[in-house]
Amino acid sequence: MKTLKPYFLFILIIVADIIILLNNVKLGTLIFKSTYMNFSEMLGVIPPIFLLLGLFDVWVPRETIIRFMGEESGITGVLLSIFLGAAAAGPLYGAFPVAGIMIKKGARFSNILIFLGAWSTLKIPMFLFEISSLGVKFAVTRWLVDIIGVILMALVIDRLISGDEKLEIYRKHAEESICSTKR
Amino acid sequence: MFAIGLYSISIVLLIISFIKDKQKTRMALNKSWKSFISILPAFAGVLALVGLVLTILTPEIISGIIGANTGIIGMIVTSIIGAITLIPGFVAFPLAASLLQKGAGVMQIAVFVSTLMMVGFVTMPLEMKYFGKKETILRNLFAYIFSFIVAFVIGMVVS
């Protein structure tokens, strides 16, 4: 039972899907098809991201990340966070493990928030696509307002989360790596 | 395309790493696997949830609601749809463009695009696992409110 507990949400939804399938075969089939597509899309992006994260964890020293993105990194840290987020592609959930490893390596919390914001909304490949479908005016205005908003929101959220709460988050990410090294 | 690039880069780096230091590479692979396995249940749950929600909320239903409403109520509707759904950008932008052509308001579409990208309601359990409850709620709440500001600015500039 204990080993199944993390899968509670997954099992719950699959059960719901099966109930729908039994009542409405057409809709149920569509749901399973779309779920399958989501999983295959994830498998396209997530395994290499985790592979890169493992390599990053082993090869990039903590000092490097602290220097460029840590507490004292200043404007360099902000710009680097925006750049790293904007250069990425893929859904926002792909950013979570990357941000997790940055936390572990000692990046400043506000820079983590800027990185998440940049990944969610400032992605360059998406921006090019947005120009072609919604027009230059729409895309450029959104991008410019967003870049200001991403930084401002990161700074405000950074203030609202207390030092203790941040410590808790950093401790959690540090512990996870200790467990994996021990095994 | 992006996936192929990502796979090639990581495999090349893995080979370089292996040539330089076998022990370290083994450690890296071990870490990759451990962190993947520990987050897999949350991922699986979220992806299944997306599969269920997105199938029930078809593009037809979404476009029907956006097309029928204008004003702040239309914006609230589109923002909620944007916050809940997880449509990839390459599907969302053409959808948004065709809705604009059919007479949907620029601000309704802008708030939809913005919440779609910045607010992840269904991915919140996953986000909480990484950054805690408070960060997740604050980030999503702020991003939701901010999306309206963006929409108003775009509305002023574009129309």
PDB file of all heavy atoms in Angstrom, chain A residues 17 34 38 43-44 50 54 57 59 93 113 120 133 146 160 169 172-173, chain B residues 7 17 29 31-32 43-44 51-52 93 97 117 129-131 134-135 142 146:
ATOM      1  N   ASP A  17     -11.199   7.485 -15.706  1.00  0.00           N
ATOM      2  CA  ASP A  17     -11.165   7.272 -17.154  1.00  0.00           C
ATOM      3  C   ASP A  17     -11.883   5.978 -17.534  1.00  0.00           C
ATOM      4  O   ASP A  17     -12.641   5.935 -18.506  1.00  0.00           O
ATOM      5  CB  ASP A  17      -9.700   7.181 -17.639  1.00  0.00           C
ATOM      6  CG  ASP A  17      -9.006   8.543 -17.597  1.00  0.00           C
ATOM      7  OD1 ASP A  17      -9.695   9.542 -17.336  1.00  0.00           O
ATOM      8  OD2 ASP A  17      -7.791   8.589 -17.829  1.00  0.00           O
ATOM      9  N   SER A  34      -5.505  10.585 -25.738  1.00  0.00           N
ATOM     10  CA  SER A  34      -4.853  11.849 -25.393  1.00  0.00           C
ATOM     11  C   SER A  34      -3.887  11.669 -24.223  1.00  0.00           C
ATOM     12  O   SER A  34      -2.813  12.268 -24.192  1.00  0.00           O
ATOM     13  CB  SER A  34      -5.932  12.906 -25.113  1.00  0.00           C
ATOM     14  OG  SER A  34      -5.718  13.555 -23.918  1.00  0.00           O
ATOM     15  N   ASN A  38       0.087  12.417 -24.234  1.00  0.00           N
ATOM     16  CA  ASN A  38       0.785  13.214 -23.225  1.00  0.00           C
ATOM     17  C   ASN A  38       2.014  12.495 -22.709  1.00  0.00           C
ATOM     18  O   ASN A  38       3.067  13.098 -22.522  1.00  0.00           O
ATOM     19  CB  ASN A  38      -0.138  13.516 -22.042  1.00  0.00           C
ATOM     20  CG  ASN A  38      -1.147  14.579 -22.370  1.00  0.00           C
ATOM     21  OD1 ASN A  38      -0.894  15.443 -23.189  1.00  0.00           O
ATOM     22  ND2 ASN A  38      -2.303  14.509 -21.738  1.00  0.00           N
ATOM     23  N   LEU A  43       7.887  11.674 -22.669  1.00  0.00           N
ATOM     24  CA  LEU A  43       9.055  10.818 -22.877  1.00  0.00           C
ATOM     25  C   LEU A  43      10.000  11.403 -23.919  1.00  0.00           C
ATOM     26  O   LEU A  43      11.189  11.089 -23.931  1.00  0.00           O
ATOM     27  CB  LEU A  43       8.613   9.408 -23.296  1.00  0.00           C
ATOM     28  CG  LEU A  43       8.025   8.593 -22.151  1.00  0.00           C
ATOM     29  CD1 LEU A  43       7.582   7.232 -22.647  1.00  0.00           C
ATOM     30  CD2 LEU A  43       9.038   8.425 -21.023  1.00  0.00           C
ATOM     31  N   GLY A  44       9.462  12.286 -24.771  1.00  0.00           N
ATOM     32  CA  GLY A  44      10.322  12.940 -25.750  1.00  0.00           C
ATOM     33  C   GLY A  44      11.252  13.955 -25.116  1.00  0.00           C
ATOM     34  O   GLY A  44      12.333  14.218 -25.622  1.00  0.00           O
ATOM     35  N   PHE A  50      16.594  14.887 -17.609  1.00  0.00           N
ATOM     36  CA  PHE A  50      17.114  14.287 -16.376  1.00  0.00           C
ATOM     37  C   PHE A  50      18.544  13.784 -16.561  1.00  0.00           C
ATOM     38  O   PHE A  50      19.365  13.875 -15.654  1.00  0.00           O
ATOM     39  CB  PHE A  50      16.192  13.171 -15.881  1.00  0.00           C
ATOM     40  CG  PHE A  50      15.071  13.686 -15.036  1.00  0.00           C
ATOM     41  CD1 PHE A  50      13.847  14.000 -15.596  1.00  0.00           C
ATOM     42  CD2 PHE A  50      15.245  13.887 -13.674  1.00  0.00           C
ATOM     43  CE1 PHE A  50      12.817  14.505 -14.828  1.00  0.00           C
ATOM     44  CE2 PHE A  50      14.225  14.393 -12.896  1.00  0.00           C
ATOM     45  CZ  PHE A  50      13.014  14.704 -13.473  1.00  0.00           C
ATOM     46  N   GLY A  54      21.690  15.060 -14.338  1.00  0.00           N
ATOM     47  CA  GLY A  54      22.622  14.186 -13.630  1.00  0.00           C
ATOM     48  C   GLY A  54      24.065  14.561 -13.940  1.00  0.00           C
ATOM     49  O   GLY A  54      24.901  14.697 -13.045  1.00  0.00           O
ATOM     50  N   ASP A  57      24.903  17.895 -12.404  1.00  0.00           N
ATOM     51  CA  ASP A  57      25.086  17.760 -10.952  1.00  0.00           C
ATOM     52  C   ASP A  57      26.498  17.283 -10.619  1.00  0.00           C
ATOM     53  O   ASP A  57      27.135  17.746  -9.687  1.00  0.00           O
ATOM     54  CB  ASP A  57      24.044  16.757 -10.425  1.00  0.00           C
ATOM     55  CG  ASP A  57      23.837  16.889  -8.926  1.00  0.00           C
ATOM     56  OD1 ASP A  57      24.470  17.781  -8.332  1.00  0.00           O
ATOM     57  OD2 ASP A  57      23.061  16.105  -8.368  1.00  0.00           O
ATOM     58  N   TRP A  59      29.280  17.331 -12.719  1.00  0.00           N
ATOM     59  CA  TRP A  59      30.409  18.053 -13.315  1.00  0.00           C
ATOM     60  C   TRP A  59      30.488  19.532 -12.934  1.00  0.00           C
ATOM     61  O   TRP A  59      31.590  20.097 -12.910  1.00  0.00           O
ATOM     62  CB  TRP A  59      30.389  17.921 -14.846  1.00  0.00           C
ATOM     63  CG  TRP A  59      30.810  16.567 -15.320  1.00  0.00           C
ATOM     64  CD1 TRP A  59      29.988  15.583 -15.796  1.00  0.00           C
ATOM     65  CD2 TRP A  59      32.127  16.016 -15.343  1.00  0.00           C
ATOM     66  NE1 TRP A  59      30.721  14.459 -16.112  1.00  0.00           N
ATOM     67  CE2 TRP A  59      32.041  14.704 -15.847  1.00  0.00           C
ATOM     68  CE3 TRP A  59      33.385  16.512 -14.984  1.00  0.00           C
ATOM     69  CZ2 TRP A  59      33.145  13.876 -16.004  1.00  0.00           C
ATOM     70  CZ3 TRP A  59      34.488  15.684 -15.151  1.00  0.00           C
ATOM     71  CH2 TRP A  59      34.363  14.386 -15.653  1.00  0.00           C
ATOM     72  N   TYR A  93       6.443  22.290 -16.967  1.00  0.00           N
ATOM     73  CA  TYR A  93       6.827  21.259 -16.001  1.00  0.00           C
ATOM     74  C   TYR A  93       8.244  20.742 -16.246  1.00  0.00           C
ATOM     75  O   TYR A  93       8.867  20.199 -15.347  1.00  0.00           O
ATOM     76  CB  TYR A  93       5.800  20.110 -15.930  1.00  0.00           C
ATOM     77  CG  TYR A  93       5.539  19.339 -17.203  1.00  0.00           C
ATOM     78  CD1 TYR A  93       6.515  18.537 -17.774  1.00  0.00           C
ATOM     79  CD2 TYR A  93       4.290  19.396 -17.820  1.00  0.00           C
ATOM     80  CE1 TYR A  93       6.265  17.817 -18.929  1.00  0.00           C
ATOM     81  CE2 TYR A  93       4.025  18.676 -18.978  1.00  0.00           C
ATOM     82  CZ  TYR A  93       5.017  17.888 -19.530  1.00  0.00           C
ATOM     83  OH  TYR A  93       4.761  17.181 -20.670  1.00  0.00           O
ATOM     84  N   LEU A 113      12.979  32.000  -9.374  1.00  0.00           N
ATOM     85  CA  LEU A 113      11.647  32.481  -9.771  1.00  0.00           C
ATOM     86  C   LEU A 113      11.704  33.179 -11.134  1.00  0.00           C
ATOM     87  O   LEU A 113      10.799  33.028 -11.953  1.00  0.00           O
ATOM     88  CB  LEU A 113      11.102  33.443  -8.709  1.00  0.00           C
ATOM     89  CG  LEU A 113      10.758  32.788  -7.372  1.00  0.00           C
ATOM     90  CD1 LEU A 113      10.558  33.838  -6.302  1.00  0.00           C
ATOM     91  CD2 LEU A 113       9.506  31.930  -7.500  1.00  0.00           C
ATOM     92  N   SER A 120       8.374  30.051 -18.600  1.00  0.00           N
ATOM     93  CA  SER A 120       6.941  29.948 -18.865  1.00  0.00           C
ATOM     94  C   SER A 120       6.520  30.849 -20.017  1.00  0.00           C
ATOM     95  O   SER A 120       5.638  30.492 -20.781  1.00  0.00           O
ATOM     96  CB  SER A 120       6.132  30.261 -17.606  1.00  0.00           C
ATOM     97  OG  SER A 120       6.183  31.638 -17.307  1.00  0.00           O
ATOM     98  N   SER A 133       1.910  33.864 -35.921  1.00  0.00           N
ATOM     99  CA  SER A 133       0.459  33.629 -35.872  1.00  0.00           C
ATOM    100  C   SER A 133      -0.352  34.813 -35.347  1.00  0.00           C
ATOM    101  O   SER A 133      -1.467  35.024 -35.786  1.00  0.00           O
ATOM    102  CB  SER A 133       0.122  32.352 -35.096  1.00  0.00           C
ATOM    103  OG  SER A 133       0.966  32.133 -34.029  1.00  0.00           O
ATOM    104  N   ASP A 146       5.901  41.260 -20.290  1.00  0.00           N
ATOM    105  CA  ASP A 146       6.204  40.051 -19.523  1.00  0.00           C
ATOM    106  C   ASP A 146       7.584  40.086 -18.879  1.00  0.00           C
ATOM    107  O   ASP A 146       7.763  39.627 -17.754  1.00  0.00           O
ATOM    108  CB  ASP A 146       6.102  38.807 -20.421  1.00  0.00           C
ATOM    109  CG  ASP A 146       4.676  38.286 -20.501  1.00  0.00           C
ATOM    110  OD1 ASP A 146       3.832  38.829 -19.765  1.00  0.00           O
ATOM    111  OD2 ASP A 146       4.407  37.365 -21.279  1.00  0.00           O
ATOM    112  N   LEU A 160       7.949  37.739  -0.072  1.00  0.00           N
ATOM    113  CA  LEU A 160       6.825  37.178   0.684  1.00  0.00           C
ATOM    114  C   LEU A 160       7.149  35.827   1.314  1.00  0.00           C
ATOM    115  O   LEU A 160       6.515  35.417   2.276  1.00  0.00           O
ATOM    116  CB  LEU A 160       5.594  37.028  -0.227  1.00  0.00           C
ATOM    117  CG  LEU A 160       4.921  38.349  -0.624  1.00  0.00           C
ATOM    118  CD1 LEU A 160       3.784  38.085  -1.597  1.00  0.00           C
ATOM    119  CD2 LEU A 160       4.384  39.073   0.613  1.00  0.00           C
ATOM    120  N   ILE A 169      12.988  24.711   1.749  1.00  0.00           N
ATOM    121  CA  ILE A 169      13.024  24.267   0.349  1.00  0.00           C
ATOM    122  C   ILE A 169      14.446  23.845  -0.038  1.00  0.00           C
ATOM    123  O   ILE A 169      14.648  22.785  -0.629  1.00  0.00           O
ATOM    124  CB  ILE A 169      12.525  25.395  -0.593  1.00  0.00           C
ATOM    125  CG1 ILE A 169      11.058  25.736  -0.291  1.00  0.00           C
ATOM    126  CG2 ILE A 169      12.670  24.971  -2.057  1.00  0.00           C
ATOM    127  CD1 ILE A 169      10.543  26.969  -1.012  1.00  0.00           C
ATOM    128  N   LYS A 172      15.440  20.561   1.562  1.00  0.00           N
ATOM    129  CA  LYS A 172      14.790  19.420   0.926  1.00  0.00           C
ATOM    130  C   LYS A 172      15.566  18.980  -0.323  1.00  0.00           C
ATOM    131  O   LYS A 172      15.808  17.797  -0.525  1.00  0.00           O
ATOM    132  CB  LYS A 172      13.363  19.807   0.545  1.00  0.00           C
ATOM    133  CG  LYS A 172      12.420  18.629   0.452  1.00  0.00           C
ATOM    134  CD  LYS A 172      11.043  19.083   0.038  1.00  0.00           C
ATOM    135  CE  LYS A 172      10.650  18.452  -1.267  1.00  0.00           C
ATOM    136  NZ  LYS A 172       9.566  19.140  -1.962  1.00  0.00           N
ATOM    137  N   HIS A 173      15.963  19.963  -1.133  1.00  0.00           N
ATOM    138  CA  HIS A 173      16.677  19.618  -2.361  1.00  0.00           C
ATOM    139  C   HIS A 173      18.076  19.099  -2.067  1.00  0.00           C
ATOM    140  O   HIS A 173      18.582  18.240  -2.780  1.00  0.00           O
ATOM    141  CB  HIS A 173      16.737  20.823  -3.302  1.00  0.00           C
ATOM    142  CG  HIS A 173      15.433  21.083  -3.974  1.00  0.00           C
ATOM    143  ND1 HIS A 173      15.055  20.448  -5.134  1.00  0.00           N
ATOM    144  CD2 HIS A 173      14.388  21.876  -3.648  1.00  0.00           C
ATOM    145  CE1 HIS A 173      13.851  20.846  -5.482  1.00  0.00           C
ATOM    146  NE2 HIS A 173      13.416  21.718  -4.596  1.00  0.00           N
TER     147      HIS A 173
ATOM    148  N   TYR B   7      18.022  14.976 -27.275  1.00  0.00           N
ATOM    149  CA  TYR B   7      18.579  13.631 -27.114  1.00  0.00           C
ATOM    150  C   TYR B   7      20.028  13.588 -27.612  1.00  0.00           C
ATOM    151  O   TYR B   7      20.904  13.024 -26.940  1.00  0.00           O
ATOM    152  CB  TYR B   7      17.734  12.593 -27.869  1.00  0.00           C
ATOM    153  CG  TYR B   7      16.664  11.953 -27.015  1.00  0.00           C
ATOM    154  CD1 TYR B   7      15.360  12.431 -27.021  1.00  0.00           C
ATOM    155  CD2 TYR B   7      16.965  10.877 -26.195  1.00  0.00           C
ATOM    156  CE1 TYR B   7      14.374  11.857 -26.237  1.00  0.00           C
ATOM    157  CE2 TYR B   7      15.983  10.290 -25.408  1.00  0.00           C
ATOM    158  CZ  TYR B   7      14.696  10.786 -25.434  1.00  0.00           C
ATOM    159  OH  TYR B   7      13.721  10.216 -24.648  1.00  0.00           O
ATOM    160  N   SER B  17      31.527  12.632 -21.098  1.00  0.00           N
ATOM    161  CA  SER B  17      31.652  12.423 -19.656  1.00  0.00           C
ATOM    162  C   SER B  17      32.230  11.036 -19.363  1.00  0.00           C
ATOM    163  O   SER B  17      33.103  10.880 -18.508  1.00  0.00           O
ATOM    164  CB  SER B  17      30.292  12.590 -18.997  1.00  0.00           C
ATOM    165  OG  SER B  17      30.317  12.132 -17.671  1.00  0.00           O
ATOM    166  N   LEU B  29      24.517   9.071 -13.844  1.00  0.00           N
ATOM    167  CA  LEU B  29      23.399   8.257 -14.317  1.00  0.00           C
ATOM    168  C   LEU B  29      22.534   7.802 -13.148  1.00  0.00           C
ATOM    169  O   LEU B  29      21.302   7.800 -13.230  1.00  0.00           O
ATOM    170  CB  LEU B  29      23.931   7.037 -15.087  1.00  0.00           C
ATOM    171  CG  LEU B  29      24.455   7.349 -16.485  1.00  0.00           C
ATOM    172  CD1 LEU B  29      25.064   6.101 -17.105  1.00  0.00           C
ATOM    173  CD2 LEU B  29      23.326   7.876 -17.370  1.00  0.00           C
ATOM    174  N   LYS B  31      22.170   9.362 -10.310  1.00  0.00           N
ATOM    175  CA  LYS B  31      21.402  10.527  -9.844  1.00  0.00           C
ATOM    176  C   LYS B  31      20.227  10.820 -10.766  1.00  0.00           C
ATOM    177  O   LYS B  31      19.119  11.092 -10.312  1.00  0.00           O
ATOM    178  CB  LYS B  31      22.310  11.756  -9.783  1.00  0.00           C
ATOM    179  CG  LYS B  31      23.185  11.763  -8.569  1.00  0.00           C
ATOM    180  CD  LYS B  31      23.984  13.038  -8.471  1.00  0.00           C
ATOM    181  CE  LYS B  31      24.849  12.972  -7.222  1.00  0.00           C
ATOM    182  NZ  LYS B  31      25.394  14.266  -6.857  1.00  0.00           N
ATOM    183  N   SER B  32      20.473  10.782 -12.086  1.00  0.00           N
ATOM    184  CA  SER B  32      19.401  11.025 -13.057  1.00  0.00           C
ATOM    185  C   SER B  32      18.243  10.065 -12.815  1.00  0.00           C
ATOM    186  O   SER B  32      17.085  10.478 -12.731  1.00  0.00           O
ATOM    187  CB  SER B  32      19.903  10.807 -14.484  1.00  0.00           C
ATOM    188  OG  SER B  32      21.009  11.603 -14.750  1.00  0.00           O
ATOM    189  N   PHE B  43       4.371  13.197 -11.987  1.00  0.00           N
ATOM    190  CA  PHE B  43       4.268  13.411 -13.427  1.00  0.00           C
ATOM    191  C   PHE B  43       3.133  12.598 -14.020  1.00  0.00           C
ATOM    192  O   PHE B  43       2.301  13.101 -14.774  1.00  0.00           O
ATOM    193  CB  PHE B  43       5.569  12.975 -14.116  1.00  0.00           C
ATOM    194  CG  PHE B  43       6.435  14.119 -14.520  1.00  0.00           C
ATOM    195  CD1 PHE B  43       7.731  14.233 -14.052  1.00  0.00           C
ATOM    196  CD2 PHE B  43       5.946  15.090 -15.376  1.00  0.00           C
ATOM    197  CE1 PHE B  43       8.530  15.296 -14.425  1.00  0.00           C
ATOM    198  CE2 PHE B  43       6.735  16.154 -15.753  1.00  0.00           C
ATOM    199  CZ  PHE B  43       8.037  16.259 -15.276  1.00  0.00           C
ATOM    200  N   ALA B  44       3.091  11.320 -13.672  1.00  0.00           N
ATOM    201  CA  ALA B  44       2.087  10.422 -14.225  1.00  0.00           C
ATOM    202  C   ALA B  44       0.687  10.919 -13.877  1.00  0.00           C
ATOM    203  O   ALA B  44      -0.203  10.955 -14.729  1.00  0.00           O
ATOM    204  CB  ALA B  44       2.307   9.004 -13.710  1.00  0.00           C
ATOM    205  N   GLY B  51      -4.833  14.623 -19.722  1.00  0.00           N
ATOM    206  CA  GLY B  51      -5.502  13.822 -20.741  1.00  0.00           C
ATOM    207  C   GLY B  51      -7.009  13.808 -20.565  1.00  0.00           C
ATOM    208  O   GLY B  51      -7.764  13.937 -21.518  1.00  0.00           O
ATOM    209  N   LEU B  52      -7.439  13.712 -19.312  1.00  0.00           N
ATOM    210  CA  LEU B  52      -8.875  13.681 -19.011  1.00  0.00           C
ATOM    211  C   LEU B  52      -9.528  15.047 -19.249  1.00  0.00           C
ATOM    212  O   LEU B  52     -10.515  15.160 -19.976  1.00  0.00           O
ATOM    213  CB  LEU B  52      -9.072  13.243 -17.549  1.00  0.00           C
ATOM    214  CG  LEU B  52     -10.493  13.221 -17.005  1.00  0.00           C
ATOM    215  CD1 LEU B  52     -11.341  12.190 -17.734  1.00  0.00           C
ATOM    216  CD2 LEU B  52     -10.491  12.912 -15.516  1.00  0.00           C
ATOM    217  N   PHE B  93      -1.314  29.036 -30.359  1.00  0.00           N
ATOM    218  CA  PHE B  93      -1.198  30.273 -31.142  1.00  0.00           C
ATOM    219  C   PHE B  93      -2.068  30.259 -32.396  1.00  0.00           C
ATOM    220  O   PHE B  93      -2.799  31.225 -32.644  1.00  0.00           O
ATOM    221  CB  PHE B  93       0.266  30.568 -31.475  1.00  0.00           C
ATOM    222  CG  PHE B  93       1.061  31.027 -30.274  1.00  0.00           C
ATOM    223  CD1 PHE B  93       2.319  30.540 -30.027  1.00  0.00           C
ATOM    224  CD2 PHE B  93       0.522  31.964 -29.387  1.00  0.00           C
ATOM    225  CE1 PHE B  93       3.054  30.963 -28.917  1.00  0.00           C
ATOM    226  CE2 PHE B  93       1.242  32.394 -28.276  1.00  0.00           C
ATOM    227  CZ  PHE B  93       2.505  31.892 -28.041  1.00  0.00           C
ATOM    228  N   ALA B  97      -5.156  32.667 -33.107  1.00  0.00           N
ATOM    229  CA  ALA B  97      -5.226  33.466 -34.325  1.00  0.00           C
ATOM    230  C   ALA B  97      -6.563  33.259 -35.034  1.00  0.00           C
ATOM    231  O   ALA B  97      -7.196  34.217 -35.485  1.00  0.00           O
ATOM    232  CB  ALA B  97      -4.067  33.105 -35.253  1.00  0.00           C
ATOM    233  N   MET B 117       0.320  30.161 -20.662  1.00  0.00           N
ATOM    234  CA  MET B 117       1.756  29.977 -20.532  1.00  0.00           C
ATOM    235  C   MET B 117       2.237  30.072 -19.090  1.00  0.00           C
ATOM    236  O   MET B 117       3.133  29.358 -18.668  1.00  0.00           O
ATOM    237  CB  MET B 117       2.491  31.023 -21.366  1.00  0.00           C
ATOM    238  CG  MET B 117       2.199  30.912 -22.835  1.00  0.00           C
ATOM    239  SD  MET B 117       3.070  32.186 -23.736  1.00  0.00           S
ATOM    240  CE  MET B 117       4.371  31.220 -24.469  1.00  0.00           C
ATOM    241  N   LYS B 129       5.685  19.929  -5.073  1.00  0.00           N
ATOM    242  CA  LYS B 129       6.706  18.960  -4.693  1.00  0.00           C
ATOM    243  C   LYS B 129       8.098  19.577  -4.776  1.00  0.00           C
ATOM    244  O   LYS B 129       8.984  19.240  -4.001  1.00  0.00           O
ATOM    245  CB  LYS B 129       6.633  17.729  -5.604  1.00  0.00           C
ATOM    246  CG  LYS B 129       5.738  16.650  -5.060  1.00  0.00           C
ATOM    247  CD  LYS B 129       6.058  15.302  -5.678  1.00  0.00           C
ATOM    248  CE  LYS B 129       7.028  14.559  -4.817  1.00  0.00           C
ATOM    249  NZ  LYS B 129       6.991  13.142  -4.843  1.00  0.00           N
ATOM    250  N   TYR B 130       8.293  20.460  -5.730  1.00  0.00           N
ATOM    251  CA  TYR B 130       9.611  21.061  -5.908  1.00  0.00           C
ATOM    252  C   TYR B 130       9.829  22.296  -5.036  1.00  0.00           C
ATOM    253  O   TYR B 130      10.881  22.474  -4.442  1.00  0.00           O
ATOM    254  CB  TYR B 130       9.830  21.445  -7.373  1.00  0.00           C
ATOM    255  CG  TYR B 130      10.303  20.299  -8.231  1.00  0.00           C
ATOM    256  CD1 TYR B 130       9.438  19.645  -9.094  1.00  0.00           C
ATOM    257  CD2 TYR B 130      11.619  19.862  -8.157  1.00  0.00           C
ATOM    258  CE1 TYR B 130       9.870  18.589  -9.879  1.00  0.00           C
ATOM    259  CE2 TYR B 130      12.068  18.808  -8.936  1.00  0.00           C
ATOM    260  CZ  TYR B 130      11.194  18.177  -9.795  1.00  0.00           C
ATOM    261  OH  TYR B 130      11.635  17.133 -10.557  1.00  0.00           O
ATOM    262  N   PHE B 131       8.843  23.174  -4.968  1.00  0.00           N
ATOM    263  CA  PHE B 131       9.086  24.486  -4.344  1.00  0.00           C
ATOM    264  C   PHE B 131       8.165  24.787  -3.168  1.00  0.00           C
ATOM    265  O   PHE B 131       8.176  25.904  -2.666  1.00  0.00           O
ATOM    266  CB  PHE B 131       8.956  25.600  -5.393  1.00  0.00           C
ATOM    267  CG  PHE B 131       9.653  25.282  -6.682  1.00  0.00           C
ATOM    268  CD1 PHE B 131       8.935  25.056  -7.835  1.00  0.00           C
ATOM    269  CD2 PHE B 131      11.038  25.171  -6.726  1.00  0.00           C
ATOM    270  CE1 PHE B 131       9.579  24.739  -9.021  1.00  0.00           C
ATOM    271  CE2 PHE B 131      11.683  24.857  -7.903  1.00  0.00           C
ATOM    272  CZ  PHE B 131      10.947  24.641  -9.056  1.00  0.00           C
ATOM    273  N   LYS B 134       3.600  27.431  -0.666  1.00  0.00           N
ATOM    274  CA  LYS B 134       3.501  28.889  -0.698  1.00  0.00           C
ATOM    275  C   LYS B 134       3.988  29.456  -2.028  1.00  0.00           C
ATOM    276  O   LYS B 134       3.302  30.269  -2.653  1.00  0.00           O
ATOM    277  CB  LYS B 134       4.303  29.487   0.454  1.00  0.00           C
ATOM    278  CG  LYS B 134       3.896  30.907   0.764  1.00  0.00           C
ATOM    279  CD  LYS B 134       4.438  31.362   2.092  1.00  0.00           C
ATOM    280  CE  LYS B 134       4.144  32.832   2.310  1.00  0.00           C
ATOM    281  NZ  LYS B 134       4.794  33.355   3.514  1.00  0.00           N
ATOM    282  N   GLU B 135       5.170  29.012  -2.472  1.00  0.00           N
ATOM    283  CA  GLU B 135       5.697  29.493  -3.760  1.00  0.00           C
ATOM    284  C   GLU B 135       4.699  29.190  -4.858  1.00  0.00           C
ATOM    285  O   GLU B 135       4.409  30.037  -5.698  1.00  0.00           O
ATOM    286  CB  GLU B 135       7.038  28.811  -4.064  1.00  0.00           C
ATOM    287  CG  GLU B 135       7.754  29.330  -5.308  1.00  0.00           C
ATOM    288  CD  GLU B 135       7.263  28.758  -6.634  1.00  0.00           C
ATOM    289  OE1 GLU B 135       6.489  27.772  -6.652  1.00  0.00           O
ATOM    290  OE2 GLU B 135       7.631  29.312  -7.670  1.00  0.00           O
ATOM    291  N   PHE B 142      -0.145  35.357  -8.705  1.00  0.00           N
ATOM    292  CA  PHE B 142       0.428  36.577  -9.294  1.00  0.00           C
ATOM    293  C   PHE B 142       0.389  36.515 -10.810  1.00  0.00           C
ATOM    294  O   PHE B 142       0.037  37.484 -11.475  1.00  0.00           O
ATOM    295  CB  PHE B 142       1.877  36.780  -8.817  1.00  0.00           C
ATOM    296  CG  PHE B 142       1.975  37.371  -7.447  1.00  0.00           C
ATOM    297  CD1 PHE B 142       0.876  37.421  -6.608  1.00  0.00           C
ATOM    298  CD2 PHE B 142       3.171  37.885  -6.976  1.00  0.00           C
ATOM    299  CE1 PHE B 142       0.961  37.963  -5.345  1.00  0.00           C
ATOM    300  CE2 PHE B 142       3.273  38.436  -5.702  1.00  0.00           C
ATOM    301  CZ  PHE B 142       2.162  38.467  -4.883  1.00  0.00           C
ATOM    302  N   PHE B 146      -1.424  39.110 -13.154  1.00  0.00           N
ATOM    303  CA  PHE B 146      -0.555  39.800 -14.110  1.00  0.00           C
ATOM    304  C   PHE B 146      -1.040  39.621 -15.553  1.00  0.00           C
ATOM    305  O   PHE B 146      -0.932  40.533 -16.369  1.00  0.00           O
ATOM    306  CB  PHE B 146       0.883  39.291 -13.944  1.00  0.00           C
ATOM    307  CG  PHE B 146       1.851  39.860 -14.936  1.00  0.00           C
ATOM    308  CD1 PHE B 146       2.211  41.204 -14.881  1.00  0.00           C
ATOM    309  CD2 PHE B 146       2.412  39.059 -15.926  1.00  0.00           C
ATOM    310  CE1 PHE B 146       3.101  41.731 -15.797  1.00  0.00           C
ATOM    311  CE2 PHE B 146       3.303  39.586 -16.845  1.00  0.00           C
ATOM    312  CZ  PHE B 146       3.647  40.917 -16.782  1.00  0.00           C
TER     313      PHE B 146
END
